Amino acid sequence: MRVPFNKPHFTGREAFHISEAAHIGQLAGNGHYTHLCQDFFEERYGFRKALLTTSCTDALELAALVLDIKPGDEVIMPAYTFVSTANAFALRGAKIVFADSNPLNPNLDAGSIEPLITKNTRALVVVHYGGIACDMKAVMEIAARHQLYVVEDAAQCVDAFYNDVALGSIGHLAAFSFHETKNITSGEGGMLVINDALLIERAEIAREKGTNRSAFARGDVQKYEWVGLGSSFLPNELTAAFLYGQLEHLDIIQENRLEVWRKYQRQLAPLEEKGYISLPYVPEYASHNAHLFYLLTGSQQVRDGLLTHLAGNGVHAVFHYLALHRSPYFIEKHDGRKLPNADRYEETLIRLPFYFGLTDEDAALVCEAITSFFE
Ligand SMILES: *Cc1c(COP(=O)(O)O)cnc(C)c1O
């Protein structure tokens, strides 16, 4: 296709840091580059503790372990999200309780949370779709009132903010992704952020196969032993070195992506005014990070027709997510509540090609193809 959906961006610094890591000679994790990356995130965004992981999926599984989620526990989250958000907690035997998205954007409808809370509810998981913040004031107030943990699925949220507070710094825990489709990438990769000081030690142990190896490496204990449940969530130093090569260019990457986002916004605004499509709704409190650009059509039929039309014009746009409450794995487990907004996003949302360096010509080609479909 003339305009692909995604193109991973290389800053040109990655190979230097990988060869540096090889030269230093520690290839396993938790070395020089792991710490450089973690320090970068902690200092820049005010995260209490950042721990690199092998993926965001792993960071979410680690979060469920850290919170000691058990069979019988209930975890509330949006149905309109990626599988990993729910799968991480289902793996620990939790009952997943899906909430609806709000009518204005795919984020969780904070007003729908409280009726879902029972005496078994342990955690709320929010997903900031497209790096656009959820209503975190409302979410944190509900959590405090019911003594629930909040986990931010911040997979899409590097350099995105709620008012002037970084996403990922608000919940007790937050999970980030460095998958190749995200703003900052190491191919596969992730990070767990721990903002609740009481959870840090358990997170370090669970990330290191249930051992206190992190404390041992710091010289805090004389030997390392099996002290809890865990698994292998630690990425190697080569992955961290690649990631650091990306972080060095974070501001350049973000500036470029925001420019691409504004190009789409500007050129598609006339179609929104005419009522053909809806463009992303960004609340006053959200400063997004141009992770993706989506639009909504009036119906699934129009959406599917538009995708075919775009493909015919060399534009690779995609739809997602298939709402999890209706998924083959979950449909029998769901309590049958209707989630009309989640259904609507599943049926009418399109993601446009989006990557660093998307040219003016290609953005114009995408927007002209969309315009020609409607007019
Ligand atoms: C990308 C993504 C994930 C999974 O990230 P991986 O690093 O690929 O495991 C989870 N949740 C959301 C919302 C995502 O966008």
Side-chain angles (χ1 to χ4, degrees):
M1 294 239 190
R2 157 85 194 265
V3 190
F5 175 65
N6 180 56
K7 258 193 221 175
H9 170 62
F10 297 95
T11 66
R13 296 287 297 160
E14 297 90 348
F16 167 79
H17 289 299
I18 287 176
S19 86
E20 229 2 66
H23 178 72
I24 292 169
Q26 178 181 340
L27 299 182
N30 241 341
H32 178 69
Y33 279 103
T34 302
H35 290 282
L36 275 184
C37 293
Q38 292 175 174
D39 291 350
F40 177 96
F41 283 108
E42 289 169 11
E43 280 160 28
R44 181 168 170 132
Y45 298 115
F47 300 154
R48 175 146 336 196
K49 183 79 201 165
L51 296 176
L52 292 190
T53 60
T54 37
S55 66
C56 179
T57 301
D58 267 355
L60 289 162
E61 289 175 22
L62 182 52
L65 267 173
V66 168
L67 296 181
D68 195 23
I69 297 292
K70 290 200 213 44
D73 291 345
E74 296 178 15
V75 181
I76 299 170
M77 65 183 69
Y80 187 78
T81 183
F82 189 61
V83 178
S84 299
T85 319
N87 186 66
F89 295 88
L91 271 176
R92 308 242 57 82
K95 177 178 167 195
I96 309 300
V97 179
F98 285 120
D100 207 3
S101 299
N102 77 64
L104 294 175
N105 71 21
N107 287 342
L108 186 65
D109 180 3
S112 76
I113 296 172
E114 239 164 348
L116 302 176
I117 295 174
T118 73
K119 64 177 189 339
N120 296 322
T121 307
R122 294 278 321 284
L124 300 175
V125 186
V126 298
V127 181
H128 308 290
Y129 181 75
I132 298 173
C134 292
D135 184 351
M136 290 309 285
K137 181 162 182 283
V139 168
M140 296 310 289
E141 278 172 8
I142 293 166
R145 200 150 52 235
H146 298 274
Q147 295 185 304
L148 305 176
Y149 283 112
V150 173
V151 179
E152 296 177 73
D153 180 338
Q156 308 177 357
C157 298
V158 168
D159 212 48
F161 296 82
Y162 173 81
N163 291 320
D164 48 7
V165 186
L167 297 187
S169 72
I170 305 168
H172 301 86
L173 297 169
F176 284 83
S177 175
F178 307 119
H179 183 263
E180 87 170 16
T181 52
K182 306 302 202 273
N183 294 30
I184 298 292
T185 182
S186 52
E188 303 276 355
M191 176 171 70
L192 181 70
V193 168
I194 305 105
N195 296 310
D196 179 341
L198 297 176
L199 300 174
I200 292 173
E201 191 185 353
R202 208 179 309 155
E204 285 183 341
I205 290 166
R207 184 175 68 150
E208 287 261 37
K209 301 98 182 165
T211 73
N212 53 355
R213 189 172 184 157
S214 291
F216 176 69
R218 283 193 298 266
D220 296 351
V221 293
Q222 295 306 308
K223 53 187 189 258
Y224 79 87
E225 305 174 278
W226 186 15
V227 292
L229 284 183
S231 190
S232 183
F233 297 111
L234 182 64
N236 67 61
E237 276 288 296
L238 302 179
T239 298
F242 189 103
L243 186 67
Y244 194 69
Q246 296 258 310
L247 291 178
E248 283 187 323
H249 281 212
L250 179 59
D251 289 326
I252 298 168
I253 291 171
Q254 284 307 106
E255 199 177 308
N256 184 278
R257 293 185 74 105
L258 284 162
E259 221 170 88
V260 171
W261 201 95
R262 288 188 213 108
K263 277 182 228 173
Y264 278 140
Q265 162 83 23
R266 222 171 16 245
Q267 291 176 58
L268 295 173
L271 290 179
E272 185 174 48
E273 279 154 31
K274 290 175 189 155
Y276 292 128
I277 56 173
S278 307
L279 296 179
Y281 169 72
V282 183
E284 194 81 43
Y285 54 68
S287 301
H288 71 82
N289 61 351
H291 170 59
L292 54 76
F293 196 95
Y294 72 90
L295 59 84
L296 303 169
T297 62
S299 72
Q300 182 161 17
Q301 203 180 355
V302 173
R303 194 270 306 270
D304 294 345
L306 177 54
L307 281 177
T308 307
H309 176 79
L310 288 173
N313 283 272
V315 175
H316 188 198
V318 302
F319 67 88
H320 79 166
Y321 298 113
L322 300 173
L324 299 178
H325 67 300
R326 299 197 293 187
S327 62
Y329 175 72
F330 202 82
I331 192 161
E332 295 300 321
K333 300 174 179 65
H334 183 58
D335 55 23
R337 274 174 303 112
K338 295 257 180 286
L339 304 175
N341 294 320
D343 291 346
R344 184 168 64 92
Y345 294 117
E346 167 179 327
E347 288 162 6
T348 67
L349 185 142
I350 288 184
R351 283 179 68 175
L352 300 182
F354 205 101
Y355 45 85
F356 180 100
L358 187 94
T359 61
D360 289 353
E361 295 73 45
D362 284 352
L365 188 147
V366 172
C367 294
E368 279 156 22
I370 297 170
T371 306
S372 72
F373 175 78
F374 287 104
E375 300 189 332

